Amino acid sequence: MRKFLAKLIEFLYPIWVKTLKITVNGDDEARPCAYVFWHSKMFPLLHSWKNRGICVLVSSHRDGELAVGLLKKYGYTLARGSSTRGGVRGGKKLLEALKNGFSIAITPDGPRGPRWRFKEETHRFLKLAGVPAILIGVGYSKHNKLGSWDRFELPMPFSRCVIELIKVDPRGKSRDEMEKLLGEINKIAERRATDEG
């Protein structure tokens, strides 16, 4: 069943995401960097940052397998692990990727929550990595929320999607400040998507 779902996602996603009217605002010039976004907001990001030399932390949990094929198809390299399963191994692979010139992508509330809480271990890792963090906010003019732990957001086809970016230095921010900034950039994206959609 999981293999079937993975193939279904690989088939439907490219069709679905191309119907969206996506606007990206903000600074995305830092390389390498760490892209940081809530787990529930990733839907348009796979498409918008494809084939750009990004290594993604993917959960060792079997749910992570659902995204592996799609990520590879869109040109991402993978670091398997998470804060709860193989986290040290995954972190080392991300650091190696940065040394080799790749940017990295992390969901600070993944892989299993709590939703929209910036984990302390993620904050420590970002400070250790020593690269700029690009905080990403995502908003839709129309979307549905799944019943998953993160209330994953699925945009309605042909809806407007606004992606907001802000560059910060994690070494100069506390965990609470990073969580607040990520929350604020998402509120800005949601407001602009609703106002302009």
Coordinates of all heavy atoms in Angstrom, one line a residue, residues 21-66:
K21 N -0.8 29.4 -8.6 CA -0.2 30.7 -9.0 C 0.8 31.1 -7.9 O 0.4 31.7 -6.9 CB -1.3 31.7 -9.2 CG -2.3 31.3 -10.2 CD -3.5 32.2 -10.2 CE -4.6 31.7 -11.2 NZ -5.9 32.5 -11.1
I22 N 2.1 30.7 -8.1 CA 3.0 30.9 -7.0 C 3.8 32.2 -7.2 O 4.4 32.5 -8.2 CB 4.0 29.7 -7.0 CG1 3.3 28.4 -6.8 CG2 5.1 29.9 -5.9 CD1 4.1 27.1 -6.9
T23 N 3.9 32.9 -6.1 CA 4.7 34.1 -6.0 C 5.7 34.0 -4.8 O 5.3 33.6 -3.7 CB 3.9 35.4 -5.7 OG1 2.9 35.5 -6.7 CG2 4.7 36.6 -5.6
V24 N 7.0 34.3 -5.1 CA 8.1 34.1 -4.1 C 8.6 35.5 -3.8 O 9.0 36.3 -4.7 CB 9.2 33.2 -4.6 CG1 10.3 33.1 -3.5 CG2 8.7 31.8 -4.9
N25 N 8.6 35.9 -2.5 CA 9.1 37.2 -2.1 C 10.2 37.1 -1.1 O 10.1 36.3 -0.2 CB 8.0 38.1 -1.4 CG 6.8 38.3 -2.4 OD1 6.9 38.6 -3.5 ND2 5.6 38.1 -1.8
G26 N 11.3 37.8 -1.3 CA 12.3 37.8 -0.3 C 13.7 37.4 -0.8 O 13.9 37.1 -2.0
D27 N 14.7 37.4 0.1 CA 16.1 37.2 -0.2 C 16.4 35.7 -0.2 O 16.2 35.0 0.8 CB 17.0 37.9 0.8 CG 18.4 37.7 0.5 OD1 18.8 37.2 -0.5 OD2 19.2 38.1 1.4
D28 N 16.9 35.2 -1.4 CA 17.2 33.8 -1.5 C 18.6 33.7 -2.2 O 18.9 32.8 -3.0 CB 16.2 33.1 -2.4 CG 16.4 31.6 -2.4 OD1 17.0 31.0 -1.4 OD2 16.1 30.9 -3.4
E29 N 19.5 34.6 -1.8 CA 20.8 34.6 -2.5 C 21.9 33.9 -1.8 O 23.0 33.7 -2.3 CB 21.2 36.1 -2.7 CG 20.3 36.9 -3.6 CD 20.1 36.3 -5.0 OE1 21.1 35.9 -5.6 OE2 19.0 36.2 -5.5
A30 N 21.7 33.6 -0.5 CA 22.8 32.9 0.3 C 23.0 31.5 -0.2 O 22.1 30.7 -0.3 CB 22.4 33.0 1.7
R31 N 24.3 31.1 -0.4 CA 24.7 29.8 -0.8 C 26.0 29.5 -0.1 O 26.9 30.2 -0.3 CB 24.8 29.6 -2.3 CG 23.5 29.8 -3.1 CD 22.6 28.6 -2.9 NE 21.4 28.7 -3.8 CZ 20.4 29.5 -3.6 NH1 20.4 30.2 -2.6 NH2 19.4 29.5 -4.5
P32 N 26.2 28.3 0.6 CA 25.0 27.5 1.0 C 24.3 28.1 2.1 O 24.7 29.0 2.8 CB 25.8 26.2 1.4 CG 27.1 26.6 1.9 CD 27.4 27.8 1.1
C33 N 23.1 27.5 2.3 CA 22.2 28.0 3.4 C 21.4 26.9 3.9 O 21.4 25.7 3.4 CB 21.3 29.1 2.9 SG 20.1 28.6 1.7
A34 N 20.6 27.1 5.0 CA 19.7 26.2 5.5 C 18.3 26.7 5.3 O 17.9 27.7 5.9 CB 20.0 25.9 7.0
Y35 N 17.5 26.0 4.5 CA 16.1 26.4 4.3 C 15.3 25.7 5.5 O 15.4 24.6 5.8 CB 15.5 25.9 3.0 CG 16.2 26.5 1.8 CD1 17.2 25.9 1.1 CD2 15.8 27.8 1.4 CE1 17.8 26.5 0.0 CE2 16.3 28.4 0.3 CZ 17.3 27.8 -0.4 OH 17.9 28.4 -1.5
V36 N 14.5 26.6 6.2 CA 13.8 26.1 7.4 C 12.3 26.5 7.2 O 11.9 27.6 7.0 CB 14.3 26.8 8.6 CG1 13.6 26.3 9.9 CG2 15.8 26.6 8.7
F37 N 11.4 25.5 7.4 CA 10.0 25.7 7.2 C 9.2 24.6 8.0 O 9.7 23.6 8.3 CB 9.6 25.6 5.7 CG 10.2 24.4 5.0 CD1 9.5 23.2 4.9 CD2 11.5 24.4 4.4 CE1 10.0 22.1 4.3 CE2 12.0 23.3 3.8 CZ 11.3 22.1 3.7
W38 N 8.0 25.0 8.3 CA 7.1 24.0 9.1 C 6.8 22.8 8.2 O 6.6 23.0 7.0 CB 5.8 24.7 9.5 CG 6.0 25.8 10.5 CD1 5.3 27.0 10.5 CD2 6.7 25.8 11.7 NE1 5.6 27.8 11.6 CE2 6.5 27.1 12.4 CE3 7.6 24.9 12.3 CZ2 7.1 27.4 13.5 CZ3 8.3 25.3 13.5 CH2 8.0 26.5 14.1
H39 N 6.6 21.7 8.8 CA 6.4 20.4 8.1 C 5.1 20.5 7.3 O 5.0 20.0 6.2 CB 6.2 19.3 9.1 CG 6.3 17.9 8.6 ND1 5.2 17.3 8.0 CD2 7.4 17.1 8.4 CE1 5.6 16.1 7.6 NE2 6.9 15.9 7.9
S40 N 4.1 21.2 7.8 CA 2.8 21.3 7.1 C 2.8 22.2 5.8 O 1.8 22.2 5.1 CB 1.7 21.9 8.1 OG 2.1 23.2 8.5
K41 N 3.9 22.9 5.6 CA 3.9 23.9 4.6 C 4.7 23.6 3.4 O 5.0 24.4 2.5 CB 4.5 25.2 5.2 CG 3.7 25.8 6.3 CD 2.5 26.5 5.9 CE 1.8 27.3 7.0 NZ 0.7 28.1 6.5
M42 N 5.2 22.3 3.3 CA 6.2 22.0 2.3 C 5.6 21.7 0.9 O 6.4 21.6 -0.1 CB 6.9 20.7 2.7 CG 6.1 19.4 2.7 SD 7.1 18.0 3.0 CE 7.5 18.2 4.7
F43 N 4.3 21.7 0.7 CA 3.7 21.2 -0.6 C 4.3 22.0 -1.8 O 4.8 21.3 -2.7 CB 2.2 21.4 -0.6 CG 1.6 20.8 -1.8 CD1 1.1 19.5 -1.9 CD2 1.4 21.6 -3.0 CE1 0.6 19.0 -3.0 CE2 0.8 21.1 -4.1 CZ 0.4 19.8 -4.2
P44 N 4.4 23.3 -1.9 CA 4.9 24.0 -3.1 C 6.4 24.1 -3.1 O 6.9 24.4 -4.2 CB 4.2 25.4 -3.0 CG 4.2 25.6 -1.5 CD 3.9 24.3 -0.9
L45 N 7.1 23.8 -2.0 CA 8.5 24.0 -2.0 C 9.3 23.0 -2.8 O 10.3 23.3 -3.3 CB 8.9 24.1 -0.5 CG 8.2 25.0 0.4 CD1 8.8 25.0 1.8 CD2 8.2 26.5 -0.2
L46 N 8.8 21.8 -2.8 CA 9.5 20.8 -3.6 C 9.7 21.2 -5.0 O 10.7 21.0 -5.7 CB 8.8 19.4 -3.5 CG 8.5 18.8 -2.2 CD1 7.8 17.5 -2.3 CD2 9.9 18.6 -1.5
H47 N 8.6 21.8 -5.6 CA 8.6 22.2 -7.0 C 9.4 23.5 -7.1 O 10.2 23.7 -8.1 CB 7.2 22.5 -7.4 CG 7.1 23.2 -8.8 ND1 7.3 22.5 -9.9 CD2 6.8 24.4 -9.1 CE1 7.1 23.4 -10.9 NE2 6.8 24.5 -10.4
S48 N 9.3 24.5 -6.2 CA 9.9 25.8 -6.4 C 11.4 25.8 -6.2 O 12.1 26.7 -6.7 CB 9.2 26.8 -5.4 OG 7.8 26.9 -5.6
W49 N 11.9 24.8 -5.5 CA 13.4 24.8 -5.2 C 14.0 23.5 -5.8 O 15.1 23.1 -5.4 CB 13.7 24.8 -3.7 CG 13.8 26.3 -3.3 CD1 15.0 27.0 -3.1 CD2 12.7 27.1 -2.9 NE1 14.7 28.2 -2.7 CE2 13.3 28.4 -2.5 CE3 11.4 27.0 -2.8 CZ2 12.6 29.5 -2.1 CZ3 10.6 28.1 -2.4 CH2 11.2 29.3 -2.1
K50 N 13.4 23.0 -6.9 CA 13.9 21.7 -7.5 C 15.2 22.0 -8.2 O 15.5 23.1 -8.7 CB 12.9 21.1 -8.5 CG 12.6 22.0 -9.7 CD 11.5 21.4 -10.5 CE 11.2 22.3 -11.7 NZ 10.1 21.7 -12.6
N51 N 16.1 21.0 -8.3 CA 17.3 21.0 -9.0 C 18.2 22.2 -8.7 O 18.8 22.8 -9.5 CB 17.0 21.0 -10.5 CG 16.3 19.7 -11.0 OD1 16.6 18.6 -10.6 ND2 15.3 19.9 -11.8
R52 N 18.3 22.5 -7.4 CA 19.1 23.6 -6.9 C 20.2 23.2 -5.9 O 20.7 24.1 -5.2 CB 18.2 24.7 -6.4 CG 17.3 25.4 -7.4 CD 16.4 26.4 -6.9 NE 17.1 27.5 -6.3 CZ 16.4 28.6 -5.9 NH1 15.1 28.7 -5.9 NH2 17.1 29.6 -5.4
G53 N 20.6 22.0 -5.9 CA 21.7 21.5 -5.1 C 21.3 21.6 -3.6 O 22.0 22.2 -2.8
I54 N 20.2 21.0 -3.2 CA 19.7 21.0 -1.8 C 19.6 19.6 -1.3 O 19.1 18.7 -1.9 CB 18.3 21.6 -1.7 CG1 18.4 23.1 -2.2 CG2 17.8 21.6 -0.3 CD1 17.0 23.8 -2.3
C55 N 20.2 19.4 -0.1 CA 20.1 18.1 0.6 C 19.0 18.2 1.7 O 19.0 19.1 2.5 CB 21.4 17.8 1.3 SG 21.5 16.2 2.1
V56 N 18.1 17.2 1.6 CA 16.9 17.3 2.5 C 17.0 16.2 3.6 O 17.4 15.0 3.3 CB 15.6 17.0 1.6 CG1 14.4 17.0 2.5 CG2 15.5 18.0 0.5
L57 N 16.7 16.6 4.8 CA 16.6 15.6 5.9 C 15.3 14.9 5.8 O 14.2 15.5 5.9 CB 16.7 16.3 7.2 CG 16.7 15.4 8.5 CD1 17.9 14.5 8.5 CD2 16.7 16.3 9.8
V58 N 15.3 13.6 5.6 CA 14.1 12.8 5.4 C 14.0 11.8 6.6 O 15.0 11.1 6.9 CB 14.1 12.0 4.1 CG1 12.9 11.1 4.0 CG2 14.2 13.0 2.9
S59 N 12.9 11.7 7.2 CA 12.7 10.8 8.4 C 13.1 9.4 8.1 O 12.8 8.9 7.0 CB 11.3 10.9 8.9 OG 11.0 10.0 9.9
S60 N 13.7 8.7 9.0 CA 13.9 7.3 8.9 C 12.7 6.5 9.1 O 12.6 5.3 8.9 CB 15.0 6.8 10.0 OG 16.2 7.5 9.7
H61 N 11.6 7.1 9.7 CA 10.3 6.5 9.8 C 9.8 6.1 8.5 O 10.1 6.7 7.5 CB 9.4 7.5 10.5 CG 8.1 6.9 11.0 ND1 7.0 6.7 10.1 CD2 7.7 6.4 12.2 CE1 6.0 6.2 10.8 NE2 6.4 5.9 12.0
R62 N 9.0 5.0 8.5 CA 8.5 4.5 7.2 C 7.6 5.5 6.4 O 7.5 5.5 5.2 CB 7.7 3.2 7.4 CG 6.5 3.4 8.3 CD 5.8 2.0 8.6 NE 4.7 2.2 9.5 CZ 3.9 1.1 9.8 NH1 4.2 -0.1 9.4 NH2 2.8 1.4 10.6
D63 N 7.1 6.5 7.2 CA 6.3 7.6 6.5 C 7.2 8.4 5.6 O 6.8 8.9 4.6 CB 5.6 8.5 7.5 CG 4.5 7.8 8.2 OD1 4.0 6.8 7.7 OD2 4.0 8.4 9.2
G64 N 8.5 8.5 5.9 CA 9.4 9.2 5.1 C 9.6 8.6 3.7 O 10.0 9.3 2.8
E65 N 9.4 7.3 3.6 CA 9.5 6.6 2.3 C 8.5 7.2 1.3 O 8.8 7.1 0.1 CB 9.3 5.1 2.5 CG 10.3 4.4 3.3 CD 11.7 4.5 2.7 OE1 11.8 4.5 1.4 OE2 12.7 4.5 3.4
L66 N 7.4 7.7 1.7 CA 6.4 8.2 0.8 C 7.0 9.4 -0.1 O 6.5 9.6 -1.2 CB 5.2 8.7 1.5 CG 4.4 7.6 2.2 CD1 3.2 8.3 3.0 CD2 3.8 6.6 1.3

